[in-house]
Amino acid sequence: MNVPSSCYGLFIDINNNLYCSLSNQNQVVKKWLDGDSLTPIIVAGIDHPDSTSDALNSPNGIFVDVNLNLYVADKNNHRIQMYGREQLHGTTVAGSTSNNITVTLQEPTGVTLDGDGYLYIVDRHDARIVRGKGNRFRCILGCFSTGYANNRLMRPRNLAFDNRGNIYVSDEMSHQILKFTYYNRSCNRITSNVTSRHLSFNRPKFCATAGWTSFGTTFASIRTLPSYIFVTANNSVYVLSRSSFHIYIWRSHAIHSPIIIVINSLRPESIFVRNENEIYIDRGQLNQTVERWILETNMSVPIMNVPSSCHGLFIDLNNYIYCSLNSYNQVVKKWLDDDLLTPIVVAGTNHPDSTSDALNSPSGIFVDTNFDLYVADTYNNRIQMFEQGQSHAITVAGSTSNNITVTLREPTGITLDGDGYLYISDVKSNRIVRGGPHGFQCILGCIKSNSQASKLTHPSRMAFDSHGNIYTIDTAYARIQKFTFSKSSCNQITSNISSITTSRNLSFNQPKLCPSATWNSFATTFVSKDAINGTPYFIFITTNNSIYVVDQSTSRIHIWSNDFTVPTITVSDKLISSKSLFVLNNNEIYIDKSSGNNRQYFVEKFILDANISVFIMNTYGLCWGLFIDINNNIYCLVNKYHLVAKKSLDDNDTRVIIVAGNGQRGSTFDVLDSPSGIFVGTNLDLYVADTNNHRIQMFKQGQLHGITVAGSTSEKITTGLNHPTGITLDDNGYLYIVDSFNNRIVRGKGNTFRCILGCVAPGSDPHKLKGPRQMAFDSYGNIYVVDTDNHRIQKFSFLKKSCESSVMITSTPMLSHSTTILLKYSMFYLMLFMFCI
């Protein structure tokens, strides 16, 4: 064959055609070897360099498959072009300009296919070999920019297979032909069933509503900065300190005198433990290996070569060990059942990026029982999940996810429980986040309060013990914090009240009222400022109509017993800025309090007959709303931190779990903004007056995201609200909303809402309200409203006739002008008829 210049690639297809890649002419030509003519024909490219589908720019390597499709390494266009048989326009099958998500290339010079149609691309400028097809590409060789000579390429040009699958690469700059041995084990069938080897760590099963006490205890203080934690299945705790090269070991529930191992290494980053005796230690910074340390014999052996530190180590159920190479933006693995020390790349490219096949400074890793790999992609602020055998990941947490998840700031740790819920160490947000089918929620470190026990600062890693308790490294305080799992958070809750076996009845009034229920618009003043020498702030009415009023200005509780018109009891107990109360059995008063210069916040139970107080629970701040549900859980609404917390009254633990909000204000469905009132229905749904969002949020039992049931942002047509501060339900499910800035009370459900009280301009007249804050029913259905700006409590009487079946109209309708005229004519003809008779 005659050619005008050098052939940068030669290939003979199964039809005996010889192809030549003319880089200088930007074309590929061919001729039939069984013919006498020496003149080739052009099969790809035009007479000048270009990036259009019919052009090439300095083509190099070529390959023709059994279907006679031509593949061209289009070097200066940074792509692989495929030309169908007899086609002059190519399709980009690899490169950033492909219609599919493939891989970014830099000056590819070689392309080869295997028998399954996978492409092998010599990515010259990136000094690597890439494998893939469709939209699944990954680096397989030369994936580290620096490191050992035997795992590094400098300027590869082309590659070839031998019949055992080994790859030979011509590396021009190093003047070598490098042979890379095919890893037989990599194509063995992997079972997704749990093998005979059990997990060496804890993966407890919880429930959708699982919660942990927000106030932690310090398990250990380690001055030399703890950096990694591992808790074994029998609850031995291993803590690595990279600054002192020590591993601290607490054997099975021991809290004193840990075993200390000194590692002869430079800044080890991670460990993994098996059989209580085998410690896998990152020593990549010192000698570029991962070692297995046998604790009883005090001996170590290298098990995997790595080019730098492993910021995460993990061993899966098929006995593969994984290493997260933070400096190389990759995750590698190798099988522990052979002697080969060289790992293969399973995630990431050789440079930082935010594409689906890339990582940027990955840290923590986790492999589940389906062999899906989860990576804390730190500088991309996301959690990536690589399904088994896939090189492109799905973002399962982070603002760039296709689903609504959670915003992360430099996550470094990732763990899964037995139900597949993710637990993320969100370092720069100083919190632990949990997520699954029901959404994402902050569970620990959610509040920036004064309590050191509830704070986390740069929590880098976490682990479970077998009881479901969480241990986390609190980096800034150089300590290990233990947060206790609240068993009551996963107790089975019955949503049908008729089948609830609790002996405790409702302690407040929840009357059953009809759709047309109406109240007298003109109120009587039940409590005035002068009557109690203070300002009423909160009201609670028991089922026997005892009325409890919090006077925040004088730190007193006034009690009217059984329809008395003057207070029968006044309790004064230095209630510093108390906002709310809840009463059980007419004798137990639950009230929020604060004390001391550091403003510690808590809830106490005051026994009225005995005049004694019992400490109930810690809180993050004053409770603007208190509520006890039918399952004996007490709820505290913390306005300052935009959340609702709860605890069970049936255990002795005084710490709370968060059930709504995450400590930060916002307007999305999983957060709140300065909430002021709460109510829990008999089906355990939580209603929150989300004040600054001008809405009522309903959190269904076990759900982390609220539904707007009233307010202009509701999906249904409901009612506009302006700073609602109170929410109550009657026994028919009607909502009663204290719409504070609109100076009114609104009633409704579904998409039918109406104003029932204070429906005129604000003022101090008996039919007006001004800045109402909260309301309550008595047993007759009368409504008492805390009319804040008027410093009074107003009583609005229920009109019984409005719900009697014989009454069709509950108010006098206003007649229009045309209707009035028609009525006059009707009356005239009626009178005329009567006169004639």
Side-chain angles (χ1 to χ4, degrees):
M1 177 167 59
N2 294 326
V3 290
S5 65
S6 296
C7 295
Y8 278 59
L10 284 171
F11 199 93
I12 300 175
D13 69 20
I14 58 173
N15 281 350
N16 217 21
N17 291 300
L18 173 64
Y19 296 74
C20 164
S21 174
L22 295 169
S23 181
N24 295 335
Q25 277 71 38
N26 308 294
Q27 293 176 326
V28 178
V29 298
K30 76 173 181 180
K31 76 146 252 140
W32 189 38
L33 289 177
D34 294 337
D36 296 330
S37 175
L38 299 181
T39 303
I41 61 172
I42 298 170
V43 292
I46 52 181
D47 59 356
H48 61 275
D50 207 337
S51 60
T52 56
S53 62
D54 60 342
L56 299 168
N57 191 347
S58 299
N60 275 234
I62 52 177
F63 189 96
V64 183
D65 66 16
V66 293
N67 297 316
L68 302 181
N69 297 314
L70 167 66
Y71 293 80
V72 182
D74 192 9
K75 177 174 170 284
N76 287 354
N77 280 326
H78 314 294
R79 65 187 183 182
I80 303 297
Q81 292 292 89
M82 187 273 282
Y83 294 83
R85 185 175 183 178
E86 307 298 335
Q87 299 295 314
L88 296 176
H89 286 266
T91 301
T92 303
V93 292
S96 58
T97 59
S98 172
N99 289 332
N100 296 323
I101 298 173
T102 57
V103 64
T104 300
L105 302 173
Q106 288 290 326
E107 299 184 3
T109 55
V111 60
T112 302
L113 271 71
D114 67 16
D116 290 312
Y118 282 87
L119 279 73
Y120 295 76
I121 304 166
V122 180
D123 193 14
R124 181 177 175 81
H125 192 270
D126 284 333
R128 63 179 181 167
I129 307 298
V130 173
R131 178 184 191 255
K133 69 177 177 179
N135 60 355
R136 301 172 183 175
F137 284 80
R138 63 185 176 92
C139 176
I140 58 170
L141 301 173
C143 304
F144 311 113
S145 55
T146 59
Y148 289 116
N150 64 356
N151 71 354
R152 185 175 70 175
L153 298 170
M154 299 183 71
R155 278 293 183 269
R157 188 180 185 280
N158 79 311
L159 68 81
F161 287 106
D162 67 16
N163 62 5
R164 297 181 179 86
N166 305 315
I167 293 177
Y168 297 75
V169 179
S170 61
D171 195 32
E172 288 185 329
M173 187 169 286
S174 67
H175 311 288
Q176 298 182 99
I177 303 293
L178 296 177
K179 176 184 176 182
F180 295 89
T181 304
Y182 169 57
Y183 190 29
N184 290 319
R185 172 72 181 175
S186 64
C187 278
N188 285 0
R189 185 173 180 271
I190 298 176
T191 176
S192 60
N193 296 324
V194 177
T195 64
S196 58
R197 189 174 69 80
H198 297 293
L199 294 173
S200 63
F201 56 93
N202 300 290
R203 280 194 71 186
K205 282 181 171 287
F206 299 111
C207 67
T209 59
W212 288 259
T213 53
S214 302
F215 295 85
T217 57
T218 300
F219 174 79
S221 294
I222 302 176
R223 293 182 180 179
T224 55
L225 298 179
S227 56
Y228 207 92
I229 187 169
F230 191 99
V231 182
T232 67
N234 72 348
N235 296 327
S236 292
V237 179
Y238 292 70
V239 175
L240 171 67
S241 169
R242 65 167 173 251
S243 60
S244 65
F245 321 135
H246 288 172
I247 298 177
Y248 300 86
I249 306 172
W250 288 265
R251 289 292 194 196
S252 299
H253 306 293
I255 58 173
H256 302 291
S257 303
I259 302 169
I260 300 177
I261 298 174
V262 180
I263 311 167
N264 181 21
S265 184
L266 179 63
R267 290 182 65 83
E269 295 286 348
S270 57
I271 57 174
F272 193 95
V273 183
R274 290 203 306 187
N275 306 322
E276 297 289 333
N277 191 40
E278 300 175 12
I279 308 175
Y280 293 79
I281 305 172
D282 160 54
R283 300 189 67 184
Q285 188 75 10
L286 179 67
N287 58 11
Q288 297 184 312
T289 62
V290 173
E291 290 188 353
R292 178 170 55 209
W293 184 294
I294 308 301
L295 196 57
E296 291 178 356
T297 62
N298 200 28
M299 295 176 56
S300 62
V301 293
I303 54 96
M304 177 169 61
N305 293 329
V306 289
S308 68
S309 296
C310 299
H311 283 237
L313 283 172
F314 198 94
I315 300 176
D316 71 16
L317 288 175
N318 273 345
N319 218 22
Y320 281 93
I321 185 166
Y322 297 72
C323 160
S324 174
L325 294 170
N326 180 277
S327 301
Y328 290 87
N329 310 294
Q330 293 175 325
V331 178
V332 299
K333 75 174 183 180
K334 74 140 258 151
W335 192 38
L336 288 174
D337 293 339
D338 64 21
D339 297 328
L340 186 67
L341 299 182
T342 304
I344 61 174
V345 178
V346 291
T349 57
N350 65 349
H351 59 276
D353 207 338
S354 60
T355 55
S356 61
D357 61 339
L359 301 168
N360 191 347
S361 299
S363 295
I365 52 177
F366 191 97
V367 184
D368 65 15
T369 53
N370 296 319
F371 304 97
D372 296 330
L373 167 66
Y374 294 79
V375 183
D377 192 9
T378 303
Y379 286 170
N380 280 325
N381 303 306
R382 65 187 183 181
I383 302 298
Q384 295 292 87
M385 188 271 281
F386 294 84
E387 292 182 343
Q388 181 186 338
Q390 301 296 313
S391 56
H392 285 265
I394 300 167
T395 302
V396 293
S399 58
T400 58
S401 174
N402 290 332
N403 298 318
I404 298 174
T405 58
V406 64
T407 299
L408 303 174
R409 295 177 59 209
E410 298 188 14
T412 57
I414 178 65
T415 302
L416 272 72
D417 66 19
D419 293 310
Y421 282 83
L422 282 72
Y423 297 76
I424 304 166
S425 299
D426 193 14
V427 167
K428 286 297 179 71
S429 294
N430 304 304
R431 63 182 181 168
I432 304 296
V433 174
R434 179 182 192 248
H438 299 287
F440 284 77
Q441 184 185 34
C442 176
I443 57 170
L444 300 175
C446 310
I447 313 303
K448 309 303 179 282
S449 69
N450 294 329
S451 170
Q452 297 298 320
S454 65
K455 277 185 176 179
L456 291 174
T457 306
H458 295 174
S460 58
R461 295 289 192 278
M462 63 149 282
F464 291 109
D465 67 14
S466 61
H467 307 293
N469 305 315
I470 291 177
Y471 296 71
T472 185
I473 295 174
D474 192 20
T475 306
Y477 291 100
R479 63 185 181 177
I480 306 296
Q481 288 292 90
K482 177 183 177 181
F483 295 89
T484 305
F485 170 57
S486 175
K487 293 181 180 179
S488 63
S489 66
C490 279
N491 286 352
Q492 185 176 1
I493 298 175
T494 305
S495 60
N496 186 351
I497 189 169
S498 63
S499 62
I500 294 176
T501 58
T502 177
S503 60
R504 188 176 68 79
N505 296 318
L506 292 177
S507 65
F508 57 92
N509 300 290
Q510 197 176 3
K512 202 175 189 71
L513 299 169
C514 69
S516 59
T518 307
W519 289 258
N520 191 332
S521 300
F522 287 80
T524 59
T525 300
F526 175 75
V527 175
S528 66
K529 183 177 182 180
D530 294 336
I532 60 174
N533 295 317
T535 301
Y537 191 81
F538 195 93
I539 187 170
F540 189 97
I541 305 177
T542 66
T543 52
N544 70 350
N545 294 325
S546 292
I547 299 176
Y548 295 70
V549 173
V550 174
D551 176 4
Q552 187 184 19
S553 62
T554 60
S555 300
R556 289 180 296 184
I557 300 173
H558 301 280
I559 305 172
W560 289 257
S561 298
N562 300 328
D563 298 319
F564 274 65
T565 57
V566 293
T568 57
I569 302 172
T570 297
V571 179
S572 181
D573 188 24
K574 296 181 181 180
L575 308 175
I576 303 174
S577 302
S578 293
K579 298 284 187 182
S580 60
L581 58 77
F582 196 95
V583 183
L584 286 182
N585 307 320
N586 288 293
N587 190 41
E588 301 174 9
I589 308 174
Y590 293 80
I591 188 158
D592 68 308
K593 301 173 74 172
S594 65
S595 66
N597 295 329
N598 59 354
R599 306 293 281 178
Q600 293 295 314
Y601 299 98
F602 54 95
V603 172
E604 275 189 352
K605 177 173 66 176
F606 182 75
I607 311 298
L608 196 59
D609 291 344
N611 197 28
I612 60 173
S613 295
V614 180
F615 183 82
I616 295 299
M617 66 179 180
N618 292 308
T619 61
Y620 298 109
L622 289 173
C623 302
W624 287 46
L626 280 170
F627 200 95
I628 299 175
D629 69 20
I630 58 174
N631 272 355
N632 221 23
N633 294 303
I634 185 168
Y635 298 73
C636 165
L637 183 152
V638 185
N639 173 279
K640 181 179 179 181
Y641 292 114
H642 323 287
L643 61 83
V644 180
K646 79 171 183 179
K647 76 156 244 103
S648 172
L649 290 174
D650 295 332
D651 61 38
N652 296 322
D653 199 328
T654 61
R655 294 166 293 186
V656 297
I657 62 173
I658 297 172
V659 293
N662 63 7
Q664 299 177 7
R665 67 181 354 145
S667 60
T668 56
F669 43 74
D670 58 340
V671 293
L672 303 167
D673 189 349
S674 301
S676 300
I678 54 173
F679 189 94
V680 184
T682 53
N683 59 356
L684 288 307
D685 292 337
L686 167 66
Y687 293 80
V688 182
D690 191 11
T691 305
N692 284 359
N693 282 323
H694 315 294
R695 66 187 182 182
I696 303 298
Q697 292 293 91
M698 187 268 282
F699 295 83
K700 283 186 172 294
Q701 179 191 336
Q703 299 294 314
L704 304 174
H705 294 117
I707 299 168
T708 303
V709 292
S712 58
T713 58
S714 173
E715 292 184 357
K716 298 179 179 179
I717 298 174
T718 57
T719 181
L721 300 173
N722 192 349
H723 290 83
T725 55
I727 177 66
T728 304
L729 271 73
D730 68 17
D731 198 35
N732 276 329
Y734 283 88
L735 281 72
Y736 296 76
I737 304 166
V738 182
D739 194 12
S740 185
F741 280 25
N742 282 327
N743 308 291
R744 63 179 183 166
I745 307 297
V746 174
R747 178 183 192 251
K749 67 177 177 179
N751 59 356
T752 305
F753 284 79
R754 62 187 174 94
C755 176
I756 58 170
L757 301 173
C759 305
V760 293
S764 59
D765 296 331
H767 64 297
K768 294 181 178 180
L769 297 170
K770 190 175 182 182
R773 187 189 177 277
Q774 189 235 349
M775 63 154 282
F777 288 108
D778 66 13
S779 62
Y780 308 110
N782 304 315
I783 293 177
Y784 293 70
V785 179
V786 179
D787 192 18
T788 307
D789 291 351
N790 286 320
H791 310 287
R792 65 189 182 183
I793 293 179
Q794 294 290 83
K795 176 183 176 181
F796 295 88
S797 297
F798 171 56
L799 300 178
K800 294 181 180 179
K801 288 187 176 181
S802 65
C803 280
E804 291 178 2
S805 58
S806 60
V807 177
M808 300 300 294
I809 301 175
T810 58
S811 61
T812 303
M814 297 295 293
L815 298 178
S816 67
H817 178 67
S818 59
T819 307
T820 305
I821 295 173
L822 180 62
L823 183 60
K824 287 180 179 178
Y825 279 109
S826 300
M827 292 299 294
F828 172 78
Y829 284 112
L830 179 61
M831 291 174 64
L832 182 61
F833 177 74
M834 294 296 292
F835 177 78
C836 292
I837 292 174

